[in-house]
Amino acid sequence: MPIKEKRLILQHADEPGYAPDIACYRRHGGYAELKKALGTPPDSILAEVKASGLRGRGGAGFSCGLKWSFIPKNNAKPVYLICNADESEPGTFKDRQIIHKDPHQLLEGMIITAYAIGAHLAYIYIRGEFPEGARILERALAEAKRDGFLGKSILGSGFDLDVFVHRGAGAYICGEETGLIESLEGKRPYPRIKPPYFPAVLGLYMCPTVVNNVETLCNVKHIVRMGGAAYAALGRPNNTGTRILCVSGDVARPGYFESEIGTITMGQLIHDVCGGIRDGNRLKAVIPGGSSAKVLRAGDTYAIRRRKPDGSTETISVALEDIPLDFDSLADAGSMAGSGGIIVMDHTRDMVEALANINEFYAHESCGQCTPCREGSLWMKKVTARMTRGDGRPSDPDLLASIANSIAGRTVCAFGEACAWPTQSFVDKFRDEFEAKAAPAKEVPRAA
Amino acid sequence: MTEKTQPPQDTVSIQLDGTWVRVPKGTNVIEAAKRHGRFIPHYCYHPKLEIAGNCRMCLVEIGMPRLGPDRQPVRGADGMPEIAWIPRPQIGCATTVSDGMGVRTASPLVEECRRGVMEFLLINHPLDCPICDQAGECKLQEFSLEYGSAASRFIEQKVKKPKHVDIGKNILLDDERCILCSRCIRFARDIAKEDVLGFTQRGSQTTLSIHPGRRFDSNYSLNAADICPVGALTSKDFRFKMRVWFLKETNAICTSCGTGCNIVIGSREGAVHRLTPRENDAVNQCWMCDHGRLNFHHLHAPDRIKAPTCRLNGHALVAEWPDALSQLSRMLGNLAPDEIAILASSKMTNEELFLLSLLRDRLGGDSVPCDVLPRRQEADHLLVCDDGNPNSTGARLLGISSDGKRLPDVIKAIESGRTKAVLAISEDLADAGITQPTIARIPTLATIAILPNATTSEARFVLPGAGFAEKRGSMINVKGRIQRLNRATPPPANARDDWQILTDLLALLDAPHFPHIDAVFAAMAARHPALAGLTLAGIGDLGQQLARK
């Protein structure tokens, strides 16, 4: 039974003839929500976003309305809005679709957001590996400015806003919001210590700053269109709206897919949407939220909470394929919805090799600011690389887990978890494979 | 509340390892714990630098008061708030104390965190302690002993980085030893105001580097070596010279300008090997300039004057102290006041200056032309002041100095040929602009000096004195703070402490004289109201601010 998509963000993106220029966007009703928003007080937009239950689409799933409301009430400094377009989490390629195919939707969401939070200067921080995306956004900005959607007194409202595109130079850590802010300030992207440097209070140039993901900002436009309550009716309670899921790995039809959050299960996504496991192979494991999310093993059972019709919750035990794809269920299952990057692995995959690959990425991307992540990420990489070379030792599985445990929860930023969770979960869930690779090498007959 | 008296407003109550204590508001957890005897290990944190929070060595458990349904703290049987502990450990350096906060500095989780950080810091460290200058005062070594593990689990290849990188005229960098705490970067940027250090590369390859084309030639560069918790930054002057655990440490002050930075003299077997700054927030925080720090090698100069000499028929002959001083006292005692001139120095201690003032009184008081040689220089943004002499305030207070206003009288008296005897104490007449032939014409020239100069080469009496590291005594800095020098090493060979030379001369002239330097100070304090109530011992290691006039 084919599963229908519910396209909100990508409604037009893949329609034949839909172009990223402003004329096309306006033909499809673009910038109508901006006009609507500018006619209402900023606080009412914040109230609608809070009512919508929108959670951030970048990775942490933090409440968007709550994030905005952290800007101090008596603030006298400039407020900045930053769009985080540093989409760098391996397995994630949704923001790229929006930027390439519907950039004005992002701009409209940004302008409304800037209006709501009182920002007159906004930046789109786009990863260095998206040169075409940056060009498309620059074009879109020029068009929006020409048509009066940016600049002084937008649409005669008296609200001013300028938006600039800033390209990163190729570092994963620039997706961490305080690392991004440092980078935007022209420094090394060392994430800031929190406390005291919460962006909503001490962000860009030590001024209140809201950093939102591309997809999150697009949702703001739809919340204004639909109203917070109607938006909240999409998806499931506390997991509202739609989400773009990016499926990669060993499925027949990898790709992106937008649906109401939590309305389909992992199994439906893999089998009904993506055509099942490739080449008739068997499902072995799924990383459900970008490469930093903890891996889930097929065949295991997962305890997740389910909301009963009377509103109370019960805990049920489900197979991997039956986990609903929402923030809370994936957290209950011991992983996370993260950035929406779902990496599927079939039974031919060597999990030590897979972890070695992930560890190489995180060792390369650790910024090096704080000790546990800097030293631990490279150490884990060296251990798994050695194991894949056939030089594993019996102590390696425990060593890997111990290194990861000494990183997670002890670093400046969430990269500590990002690099520790794969190792923790791979070694835990596939200990048999790690122990097999860690067995002492066979005695090699010595030459006489 | 169980407490009877209302606590002061500027403190908060925290639960520190199970005990409620009061700590000043606004302090961080490291400093608050330190006040109550709980040491939280740290590398990147330095009280004089911006918080970085990168080493993660100061992770502790933090809790906040548990709030009841009424949003008020829930109180336990002891009346104190119950603590809700945060599951994640927090860094003590960036956590400001607040009322009712709980801190655990030695819980199993905290100890596990420290073991983890120690292991991470050591896996790529070269462990070259046997040839490392930091050995003996290295935080990696100290914390390894306290919190580390004896065995290594690391069997991979270590990261290779640049070694012996020449980053400045006084300082060398070994990147493999560096633990990337960024103290030196913050020091260079915020204190030395030369933002030339930074990190390049990333992850475990991160490398402390000097900006391309720049040098860390700040006059404060060696402070970066002091605050480097490991052996990454070392002093070119000190490296490979002496194991630090052999050094005797003597508290003293720097005499290279009028600031009087507090220092520690590191010496061994009569030789000074290094000077390091000593914390004194009223004077130098915990810094000193490179010029002052390296300004001690003259003490060990090969041509150091080590025995008194008397000149006879143009030949300088080594003399015994009693002979030299009695000859000099006889000659001085027979002269009228206007036949004597004194060039003194604001480099002298208060005690020496006071004894000189007694000598001048004995020889004719105000009628004897006398002054010091001022040394005006350019001040900098941090510590170097515009007075190149360390004790101008003392010399003024004790009536020897007129800030150079009477110097022309002294020079004129000498150049006119009227003076029969000139005393040049710790100064060279040539530095006052007096020419060599004029110096040579002075019938009786006596000088106390430690190194040869134009005066010693002509003087009838050359009396070898003591350098700043070889004497006890006091000086008053430009801000009116009286501070103490202490003897780290004895004067070489037959050289003597200057105050002893002067007091012996006074004794020979039947003037007041003293058995020990504390008695000199006592007499001086009795004579000068500004010093009333003070004793040399009582000045203490941090000095005393004198009342403003």
Side-chain angles (χ1 to χ4, degrees):
Chain A
M1 183 193 69
I3 302 285
K4 261 191 78 69
E5 283 192 79
K6 166 74 182 175
R7 285 200 167 201
L8 200 64
I9 309 299
L10 298 177
Q11 188 187 351
H12 301 301
D14 293 314
E15 285 172 7
Y18 191 80
D21 59 78
I22 197 165
C24 178
Y25 186 66
R26 293 182 74 175
R27 273 200 307 280
H28 289 76
Y31 288 110
E33 272 65 63
L34 173 60
K35 284 180 196 141
K36 183 176 165 188
L38 292 176
T40 60
D43 277 354
S44 71
I45 299 170
L46 172 60
E48 291 299 325
V49 170
K50 274 188 169 168
S52 76
L54 176 63
R55 292 173 68 171
R57 305 294 196 242
F62 192 77
S63 162
C64 182
L66 200 55
K67 196 176 207 178
W68 292 6
S69 66
F70 288 151
I71 296 174
K73 290 283 163 285
N74 55 352
N75 172 57
K77 298 186 203 168
V79 175
Y80 297 107
L81 171 67
I82 298 172
C83 169
N84 187 343
D86 195 66
E87 182 169 65
S88 307
E89 182 72 21
T92 317
F93 40 87
K94 61 189 179 66
D95 296 340
R96 175 195 182 97
Q97 306 305 323
I98 299 167
I99 292 165
H100 277 240
K101 296 171 180 169
D102 205 0
H104 283 284
Q105 180 183 202
L106 170 60
L107 292 192
E108 187 172 8
M110 281 186 76
I111 301 164
I112 296 170
T113 303
Y115 175 69
I117 64 171
H120 300 289
L121 194 53
Y123 295 92
I124 302 171
Y125 189 101
I126 186 166
R127 66 181 301 197
E129 294 86 342
F130 283 176
E132 185 55 26
R135 276 193 288 275
I136 291 167
L137 285 169
E138 294 280 14
R139 263 199 307 274
L141 283 175
E143 290 170 338
K145 185 139 192 159
R146 186 197 64 208
D147 286 7
F149 299 120
L150 283 174
K152 292 279 173 211
S153 190
I154 294 168
L155 301 173
S157 63
F159 174 66
D160 307 335
L161 177 68
D162 283 310
V163 180
F164 296 97
V165 174
H166 184 97
R167 290 186 61 199
Y172 172 88
I173 200 62
C174 291
E176 199 277 351
E177 60 179 5
T178 59
L180 185 158
I181 288 170
E182 288 280 301
S183 172
L184 196 52
E185 288 184 1
K187 306 179 202 151
R188 284 171 76 83
Y190 277 173
R192 295 174 176 175
I193 49 175
K194 290 145 275 191
Y197 302 109
F198 294 108
V201 183
L202 298 169
L204 184 64
Y205 308 119
M206 292 296 134
C207 294
T209 303
V210 165
V211 185
N212 281 144
N213 165 261
V214 171
E215 187 186 352
T216 312
L217 288 165
C218 290
N219 273 293
V220 172
K221 166 199 153 114
H222 298 280
I223 291 165
V224 168
R225 178 172 58 81
M226 302 166 69
Y231 183 93
L234 296 174
R236 294 156 64 117
N238 201 38
N239 296 270
T240 59
T242 66
R243 239 196 130 169
I244 306 170
L245 301 173
C246 315
V247 188
S248 61
D250 301 326
V251 291
R253 287 193 305 274
Y256 53 90
F257 174 81
E258 184 176 0
S259 73
E260 288 184 54
I261 297 176
T263 56
I264 64 166
T265 62
M266 187 71 83
Q268 287 173 315
L269 179 73
I270 293 170
H271 297 294
D272 301 337
V273 177
C274 297
I277 303 298
R278 65 171 181 131
D279 304 333
N281 289 344
R282 294 187 308 281
L283 175 65
K284 182 174 190 177
V286 178
I287 302 172
S291 64
S292 62
K294 288 189 174 179
V295 68
L296 301 174
R297 179 176 181 148
D300 284 359
T301 54
Y302 298 90
I304 61 167
R305 281 168 301 166
R306 187 170 66 179
R307 198 178 286 261
K308 289 197 282 189
D310 66 358
S312 64
T313 56
E314 59 178 348
T315 301
I316 55 168
S317 190
V318 297
L320 169 61
E321 289 90 334
D322 296 326
I323 301 173
L325 295 174
D326 62 64
F327 291 103
D328 294 340
S329 299
L330 286 166
D332 287 347
S335 187
M336 63 170 179
S339 60
I342 295 175
I343 302 165
V344 181
M345 289 181 274
D346 70 20
H347 77 277
T348 65
R349 295 294 166 187
D350 179 324
M351 299 313 269
V352 180
E353 297 274 358
L355 181 62
N357 185 27
I358 294 174
N359 282 350
E360 176 154 9
F361 175 79
Y362 288 105
H364 185 250
E365 293 297 342
S366 167
C367 77
Q369 178 183 204
C370 71
T371 309
C373 168
R374 176 182 71 232
E375 303 299 338
S377 61
L378 184 64
W379 192 2
M380 293 190 297
K381 173 202 150 170
K382 285 175 173 174
V383 173
T384 46
R386 177 167 52 70
M387 293 176 83
T388 62
R389 289 196 307 267
D391 194 17
R393 313 238 169 147
S395 55
D396 284 341
D398 285 339
L399 176 62
L400 281 171
S402 158
I403 299 169
N405 293 344
S406 292
I407 303 170
R410 299 173 190 184
T411 52
V412 170
C413 78
F415 190 105
E417 283 74 29
C419 73
W421 283 343
T423 293
Q424 287 176 329
S425 59
F426 273 73
V427 174
D428 179 41
K429 295 237 189 301
F430 298 94
R431 192 161 180 107
D432 47 343
E433 290 189 34
F434 281 82
E435 282 177 351
K437 278 269 200 311
K442 275 189 226 101
E443 193 87 11
V444 180
R446 206 173 291 178
Chain B
M1 295 285 284
T2 49
E3 289 171 66
K4 290 281 191 297
T5 51
Q6 199 63 25
Q9 288 295 304
D10 51 355
T11 65
V12 294
S13 194
I14 64 167
Q15 192 202 69
L16 181 62
D17 292 328
T19 307
W20 287 93
V21 296
R22 297 209 72 89
V23 294
K25 221 180 214 169
T27 52
N28 67 28
V29 167
I30 292 180
E31 296 295 334
K34 191 164 91 182
R35 283 170 172 263
H36 294 278
R38 309 296 299 186
F39 177 71
I40 300 173
H42 53 270
Y43 292 103
C44 68
Y45 170 70
H46 189 283
K48 305 293 183 203
L49 301 175
E50 190 184 77
I51 301 286
N54 61 38
C55 75
R56 316 308 282 180
M57 190 63 187
C58 69
L59 285 169
V60 289
E61 283 191 75
I62 297 287
M64 299 307 283
R66 188 189 307 283
L67 297 182
D70 58 351
R71 310 295 298 160
Q72 292 300 308
V74 177
R75 291 185 184 277
D78 58 354
M80 302 309 284
E82 283 182 11
I83 309 272
W85 296 94
I86 303 171
R88 275 173 85 102
Q90 307 287 315
I91 46 174
C93 64
T95 304
T96 306
V97 292
S98 62
D99 211 33
M101 177 183 276
V103 181
R104 288 178 180 152
T105 71
S107 67
L109 172 63
V110 171
E111 287 176 358
E112 177 51 38
C113 288
R114 289 172 186 164
R115 262 199 302 281
V117 171
M118 280 313 304
E119 182 174 40
F120 285 138
L121 287 176
L122 290 177
I123 56 175
N124 284 303
H125 189 82
L127 300 174
D128 58 344
C129 307
I131 54 146
C132 178
D133 277 292
Q134 191 78 1
E137 53 186 6
C138 171
K139 295 294 176 211
L140 267 184
Q141 286 187 329
E142 288 171 25
F143 297 161
S144 281
L145 185 68
E146 294 272 338
Y147 314 106
S149 163
S152 172
R153 303 189 292 171
F154 187 78
I155 58 168
E156 323 299 332
Q157 189 90 32
K158 286 183 191 251
V159 174
K160 298 306 261 179
K161 289 187 191 173
K163 296 185 84 74
H164 45 78
V165 187
D166 187 350
I167 59 167
K169 77 173 179 276
N170 294 327
I171 197 158
L172 269 179
L173 165 65
D174 182 324
D175 265 309
E176 289 188 346
R177 291 178 185 159
C178 174
I179 59 165
L180 306 166
C181 72
S182 78
R183 275 183 174 188
C184 56
I185 296 174
R186 287 173 279 149
F187 173 81
R189 181 190 67 201
D190 299 334
I191 309 288
K193 309 281 185 200
E194 288 194 20
D195 192 6
V196 295
L197 297 175
F199 291 134
T200 54
Q201 311 300 324
R202 68 188 191 195
S204 193
Q205 314 288 337
T206 305
T207 305
L208 176 67
S209 310
I210 184 90
H211 190 282
R214 297 288 298 275
R215 306 263 298 162
F216 188 37
D217 282 343
S218 162
N219 189 29
Y220 293 94
S221 69
L222 286 172
N223 294 286
D226 292 338
I227 60 174
C228 178
V230 299
L233 293 175
T234 49
S235 159
K236 285 182 186 173
D237 185 65
F238 180 65
R239 72 199 307 258
F240 303 141
K241 296 281 163 58
M242 183 56 63
R243 307 295 353 198
V244 297
W245 53 83
F246 290 133
L247 292 178
K248 182 180 80 172
E249 298 197 328
T250 306
N251 289 343
I253 56 169
C254 176
T255 58
S256 291
C257 82
T259 301
C261 290
N262 289 211
I263 62 168
V264 173
I265 301 171
S267 63
R268 186 187 184 198
E269 291 176 4
V272 175
H273 289 282
R274 70 171 182 185
L275 308 181
T276 44
R278 180 164 57 85
E279 187 168 354
N280 186 342
D281 282 349
V283 182
N284 54 308
Q285 287 91 50
C286 51
W287 320 121
M288 74 184 294
C289 76
D290 288 4
H291 167 73
R293 183 192 301 255
L294 300 176
N295 192 11
F296 67 88
H297 292 288
H298 62 276
L299 298 175
H300 311 306
D303 56 352
R304 177 82 191 262
I305 302 168
K306 293 176 181 164
T309 55
C310 296
R311 188 168 295 270
L312 197 62
N313 300 328
H315 298 288
L317 303 175
V318 172
E320 294 299 322
W321 277 104
D323 286 348
L325 291 179
S326 63
Q327 275 191 49
L328 174 60
S329 66
R330 272 200 307 278
M331 291 185 172
L332 291 173
N334 291 333
L335 294 173
D338 63 352
E339 291 175 321
I340 304 171
I342 301 172
L343 179 65
S345 175
S346 295
K347 294 186 283 188
M348 296 163 68
T349 65
N350 292 327
E351 293 72 16
E352 292 157 10
L353 288 158
F354 175 67
L355 293 171
L356 183 63
S357 74
L358 297 182
L359 180 62
R360 184 178 174 221
D361 288 348
R362 165 68 180 78
L363 299 176
D366 259 358
S367 318
V368 179
C370 169
D371 207 345
V372 299
L373 196 59
R375 284 190 173 77
R376 307 310 297 179
Q377 61 183 27
E378 204 172 320
D380 72 4
H381 74 281
L382 191 56
L383 292 174
V384 175
C385 82
D386 59 5
D387 185 346
N389 283 321
N391 195 25
S392 296
T393 313
R396 243 184 335 263
L397 176 78
L398 297 164
I400 295 297
S401 159
S402 313
D403 286 325
K405 284 190 207 70
R406 290 198 67 185
L407 190 57
D409 296 348
V410 176
I411 294 169
K412 211 161 72 193
I414 295 169
E415 286 177 341
S416 70
R418 185 179 73 227
T419 45
K420 300 276 191 299
V422 174
L423 298 179
I425 315 295
S426 300
E427 289 289 5
D428 181 5
L429 295 176
D431 287 347
I434 299 170
T435 60
Q436 190 72 22
T438 310
I439 297 171
R441 274 202 305 273
I442 300 169
T444 301
L445 172 58
T447 185
I448 299 178
I450 61 174
L451 288 172
N453 56 36
T455 303
T456 61
S457 63
E458 300 295 341
R460 179 143 184 191
F461 300 96
V462 175
L463 308 173
F468 72 97
E470 298 157 357
K471 55 170 79 167
R472 188 155 177 267
S474 63
M475 293 189 176
I476 305 169
N477 77 359
V478 287
K479 293 194 173 147
R481 190 176 190 84
I482 186 164
Q483 306 192 103
R484 203 170 57 196
L485 291 159
N486 285 301
R487 172 184 281 192
T489 56
N494 214 5
R496 294 182 72 188
D497 209 338
D498 302 37
W499 82 270
Q500 285 181 313
I501 302 171
L502 291 165
T503 207
D504 284 0
L505 206 50
L506 286 167
L508 292 166
L509 288 162
D510 296 324
H513 55 280
F514 305 91
H516 49 76
I517 195 158
D518 295 83
V520 180
F521 191 96
M524 176 171 72
R527 176 84 68 91
H528 295 278
L531 304 176
L534 289 175
T535 61
L536 186 54
I539 289 173
D541 277 335
L542 296 178
Q544 301 273 339
Q545 183 66 40
L546 301 181
R548 305 268 197 280
K549 273 184 281 186

